Amino acid sequence: MGEFAIETRGLSGGGRVSATKLLVLGIVHLSGGAHGYQVRSELQSWGAEIWAKIKPGSIYHALKKAAADGLLTEHAEPGNSGPERVLYRATARGRDEIVELVRDGLRRTHDPTMLDAAIAMLPMLTRTDAIAQVNERVARLEAELVEQAKGWENPNPDIPEHVRDQAELWAGHARTELEWAKSLSKRLSEGAYTMADDPGSWRTAPGHLKMPV
């Protein structure tokens, strides 16, 4: 890698996995089933349009795509005073996909939107699994900082000096994120949060989102 290269291990298929997909699947599953407008309302209450950059249209697209891919089932229901509504429920494949997306978001570096979505769905993982994924993030960040430090030792004369400020900004973000990830791993190890294998988790208390009908 070059002097200021930032490593991005963990990217699958060369592209970004959709945070919208993770959040939509997660809400449908955790609610025990939901209509499109309920998913949209829940995400709006979380402020996801800001930190996850989710637009209303992308929510409905994600629902339809997930159903087509076998991650959700669709059930038509009579509307209160209008057309039929579609109730979505997560399939076994859909639940497995949520877990994989959370794992990917926790360990992948340089994708803050996906990380935010993974944190929002953190309780979908068992405690041991969550700690392992966060520790993988720690290892990747440490490796990236070491690689960048090597670049400082042998600077490339073809790179303008002012670009070093950009590299220092990246390194600053990485150092801050590294300390946060270590802290999260420690909190999880000490029993913080209700995880998937804990009493009172989503596995034993389905429908806890209690979204309005």
Side-chain angles (χ1 to χ4, degrees):
M1 289 186 289
E3 179 185 3
F4 303 120
I6 297 294
E7 190 171 0
T8 55
R9 291 176 298 171
L11 293 177
S12 58
R16 295 181 60 177
V17 178
S18 172
T20 302
K21 179 182 181 181
L22 170 55
L23 292 170
V24 166
L25 286 174
I27 287 176
V28 170
H29 175 54
L30 291 173
S31 65
H35 304 105
Y37 76 89
Q38 291 175 313
V39 176
R40 175 182 175 181
S41 177
E42 188 69 21
L43 286 173
Q44 286 179 331
S45 73
W46 294 5
E49 71 277 7
I50 298 173
W51 54 266
K53 302 178 178 63
I54 291 180
K55 301 182 184 302
S58 65
I59 295 172
Y60 295 100
H61 174 76
L63 286 167
K64 289 292 185 184
K65 181 68 166 58
D69 291 342
L71 306 178
L72 298 176
T73 59
E74 297 176 297
H75 306 273
E77 294 185 336
N80 292 330
S81 58
E84 288 186 335
R85 302 182 301 177
V86 176
L87 177 70
Y88 294 94
R89 288 196 174 96
T91 64
R93 281 184 57 201
R95 293 189 292 273
D96 290 343
E97 182 75 0
I98 295 167
V99 170
E100 287 303 318
L101 288 172
V102 175
R103 287 171 175 163
D104 181 70
L106 287 177
R107 63 179 177 255
R108 180 194 302 189
T109 57
H110 311 293
D111 193 343
T113 301
M114 193 62 191
L115 174 60
D116 284 339
I119 294 170
M121 293 296 162
L122 182 64
M124 293 294 299
L125 300 187
T126 64
R127 187 170 303 278
T128 300
D129 194 3
I131 292 170
Q133 305 312 318
V134 175
N135 286 345
E136 172 64 18
R137 186 179 201 90
V138 168
R140 292 181 180 188
L141 288 167
E142 289 176 336
E144 289 171 10
L145 285 168
V146 168
E147 188 69 20
Q148 189 175 52
K150 292 179 181 178
W152 287 114
E153 295 173 0
N154 300 287
N156 185 340
D158 295 330
I159 295 179
E161 291 185 358
H162 66 273
V163 176
R164 297 173 69 91
D165 281 310
Q166 183 184 43
E168 185 56 39
L169 175 61
W170 290 341
H173 286 319
R175 287 190 291 267
T176 299
E177 188 178 314
L178 177 60
E179 291 308 309
W180 167 82
K182 289 180 177 179
S183 177
L184 176 58
S185 178
K186 182 174 183 292
R187 291 195 302 277
L188 287 167
S189 298
E190 293 172 346
Y193 316 126
T194 301
M195 304 303 291
D197 52 343
D198 292 333
S201 73
W202 61 269
R203 292 182 187 272
T204 57
H208 69 275
L209 289 182
K210 297 180 181 178
M211 290 191 289
V213 296

